[in-house]
Amino acid sequence: MAEVETDDESFVETEKKPADLGTILSEASKIKSAQMNELRRVYTSWPLFVQHSLLQPPEVVEIRQSKFEVKMSQATVWKDAATHAFKQGMLEPAVSEYIKSLSVFRYVHNKNEEWRKKGLCDADLVQINDSGNSRHESELIHTFVLTCYLNLALCYLKLQEPEQAMFACNFALEVDPKNAKALFRRAQARLLPAGAGVLDLELAVKDLSQAAKLEPTDMFIRREYIRRKAELGKQRQKDKASFGDMFERGEALYTQEQRNTSGNTTKEDRSNQLPNQQADRSSAFDFMRPSKDMLKSAKEFGIDLTDSRVIEELNRLQNQRLGESTADSNLGHKTNAVNEEPLWRYSHLAVLVLGAMLLLFLVLYFTSTSMESSLDYYDDL
């Protein structure tokens, strides 16, 4: 067989080059990191101040084993250092010191002593809540940790970290469910994000309402509650303007299947319903399962029926309309059965009520304007 000559310059034998060691190690590191994250999913879901209680220096770990008087004394020293840092405007050092003082009584313990080498694992972690050995010690610890949680919430608010602030408020409310300051700060945290919407505003108003009931003489809480409630009212009016036209479309939003289904009730069932109840059922829309016609009509109004918040608001508006129509119908029946009372009998009472409301508004306004309008009003420092 004739040999085939090849030109060494034109023929290059291709060989697979071994993978770069750095690339292999990098991929292995990513795999290990993903595996470790699976082992500590609970840990990573905790607030930062809970996670960091595991990472405290040896001096904190040692003080936890001391007598109560020693623990409380040293924890107070660290808390005072946090207060000093806060007043100097050093918010991050203040957070660190508050966590340090809080970690004396509320901390995460790792049963695996070699965790720093082998890594964290949820199965090895235990949350410790030191409540002391007597009722007196328990009450002192209760007051101490509550103050730490409240001050942490304040620091996080000033650091523009609303999620951590809400965590701190929730922990404070676990210690004292009727704490008005925790409710107030949680309301502030709900409204802090730039993307806070109407649902956040509703939850904030609910927190402020509860705080106002717990502290009825606190004019600052009362003023904030009135202000936020007014904002919520305006927002609902805007929502009605945006979504309200959808309720006027009537039959155009129904599919043939929905029309057929709505008529499947028996004669006995229809006879047991009031006229207004029958009308309400036939005119109610199912926004959770919108038809193609509903999606198309909603799109014309610029409304996204796949958004859970939009669906919730539409259901609320619809229920409100159905309730108003039912109330109007019942009122009409009652009016026909009862003789009308002359309005002059109630005019004096109306004037007194309006006058009292006006006086209360003026007192709240002029009293609150003299107060600080910042979060510092509720400092526990």
Side-chain angles (χ1 to χ4, degrees):
M1 180 181 291
E3 294 182 0
V4 178
E5 295 182 359
T6 60
D7 187 357
D8 292 338
E9 295 180 359
S10 61
F11 177 80
V12 179
E13 183 179 0
T14 59
E15 296 181 356
K16 291 185 178 180
K17 295 182 179 180
D20 181 70
L21 179 61
T23 303
I24 295 176
L25 293 177
S26 176
E27 292 299 323
S29 177
K30 292 179 181 179
I31 294 173
K32 182 180 179 181
S33 178
Q35 291 173 339
M36 294 304 299
N37 287 337
E38 285 297 316
L39 295 176
R40 56 189 183 194
R41 294 178 68 179
V42 174
Y43 174 81
T44 55
S45 69
W46 288 335
L48 292 179
F49 55 84
V50 176
Q51 295 182 29
H52 291 175
S53 68
L54 179 63
L55 311 175
Q56 292 302 307
E59 59 181 343
V60 179
V61 178
E62 292 174 3
I63 205 69
R64 292 169 181 165
Q65 310 304 320
S66 304
K67 294 182 179 180
F68 171 76
E69 291 77 9
V70 177
K71 288 191 290 187
M72 181 58 74
S73 175
Q74 186 58 58
T76 302
V77 170
W78 290 328
K79 175 180 170 294
D80 291 343
T83 299
H84 178 74
F86 179 89
K87 291 181 177 179
Q88 297 298 317
M90 299 183 293
L91 298 177
E92 292 183 356
V95 167
S96 179
E97 290 298 314
Y98 277 128
I99 293 175
K100 190 175 181 179
S101 60
L102 181 63
S103 297
V104 174
F105 302 104
R106 299 287 189 271
Y107 58 93
V108 176
H109 171 67
N110 197 318
K111 295 182 290 185
N112 184 356
E113 295 181 356
E114 298 183 354
W115 68 271
R116 293 184 183 273
K117 296 180 180 179
K118 297 182 177 180
L120 288 172
C121 179
D122 289 336
D124 298 329
L125 304 180
V126 180
Q127 289 197 63
I128 305 298
N129 293 330
D130 186 350
S131 299
N133 298 319
S134 66
R135 182 176 180 180
H136 176 65
E137 291 180 1
S138 179
E139 290 176 352
L140 291 176
I141 293 174
H142 176 282
T143 302
F144 183 85
V145 300
L146 177 61
T147 301
C148 288
Y149 285 136
L150 291 172
N151 288 349
L152 272 172
L154 180 62
C155 290
Y156 283 129
L157 285 171
K158 289 181 175 292
L159 286 168
Q160 301 293 305
E161 297 183 25
E163 183 180 15
Q164 296 303 317
M166 283 192 60
F167 277 134
C169 292
N170 290 338
F171 273 66
L173 289 169
E174 288 182 8
V175 177
D176 181 7
K178 296 183 178 181
N179 189 277
K181 293 179 182 179
L183 290 167
F184 176 83
R185 287 183 183 160
R186 188 168 70 176
Q188 297 292 323
R190 293 187 191 281
L191 300 175
L192 188 58
V198 64
L199 293 181
D200 300 301
L201 183 56
E202 287 180 350
L203 292 173
V205 169
K206 184 177 180 181
D207 282 342
L208 291 169
S209 174
Q210 188 176 352
K213 291 177 181 178
L214 293 170
E215 296 290 343
T217 60
D218 193 313
M219 295 300 179
F220 188 83
I221 291 180
R222 178 65 59 180
R223 180 196 178 193
E224 188 70 4
Y225 169 62
I226 292 174
R227 184 166 71 94
R228 297 301 183 180
K229 188 176 180 181
E231 288 181 10
L232 181 59
K234 292 180 181 179
Q235 185 59 48
R236 285 178 173 170
Q237 291 297 325
K238 291 181 181 179
D239 292 341
K240 284 185 178 182
S242 299
F243 303 140
D245 289 343
M246 287 196 64
F247 299 101
E248 307 299 335
R249 302 297 290 262
E251 293 294 324
L253 296 179
Y254 281 102
T255 63
Q256 187 62 40
E257 181 182 357
Q258 288 173 321
R259 295 191 188 98
N260 294 337
T261 304
S262 65
N264 288 338
T265 56
T266 64
K267 182 177 181 180
E268 183 179 356
D269 292 334
R270 289 193 296 270
S271 64
N272 290 333
Q273 297 176 353
L274 292 175
N276 60 313
Q277 291 176 326
Q278 294 177 14
D280 291 342
R281 287 190 178 185
S282 64
S283 61
F285 300 115
D286 187 358
F287 293 109
M288 297 298 294
R289 293 181 290 274
S291 64
K292 291 182 179 180
D293 292 335
M294 291 176 67
L295 291 171
K296 181 179 179 181
S297 297
K299 190 175 182 180
E300 294 176 4
F301 288 96
I303 297 171
D304 183 8
L305 284 184
T306 62
D307 189 325
S308 58
R309 292 192 175 189
V310 172
I311 292 173
E312 183 174 348
E313 182 63 19
L314 288 171
N315 281 327
R316 185 187 66 78
L317 290 170
Q318 177 170 250
N319 293 334
Q320 181 178 346
R321 287 195 171 212
L322 293 178
E324 289 175 353
S325 64
T326 303
D328 292 342
S329 175
N330 293 336
L331 181 61
H333 290 298
K334 291 181 180 179
T335 304
N336 293 331
V338 180
N339 293 329
E340 294 184 357
E341 293 288 340
L343 294 177
W344 63 267
R345 294 188 179 182
Y346 304 101
S347 60
H348 296 295
L349 179 60
V351 171
L352 290 175
V353 171
L354 290 173
M357 291 176 63
L358 179 60
L359 179 61
L360 177 61
F361 173 79
L362 292 174
V363 170
L364 291 175
Y365 177 79
F366 287 109
T367 304
S368 58
T369 51
S370 63
M371 297 182 176
E372 295 175 279
S373 59
S374 68
L375 294 171
D376 293 346
Y377 173 71
Y378 265 120
D379 283 356
D380 298 297
L381 310 175

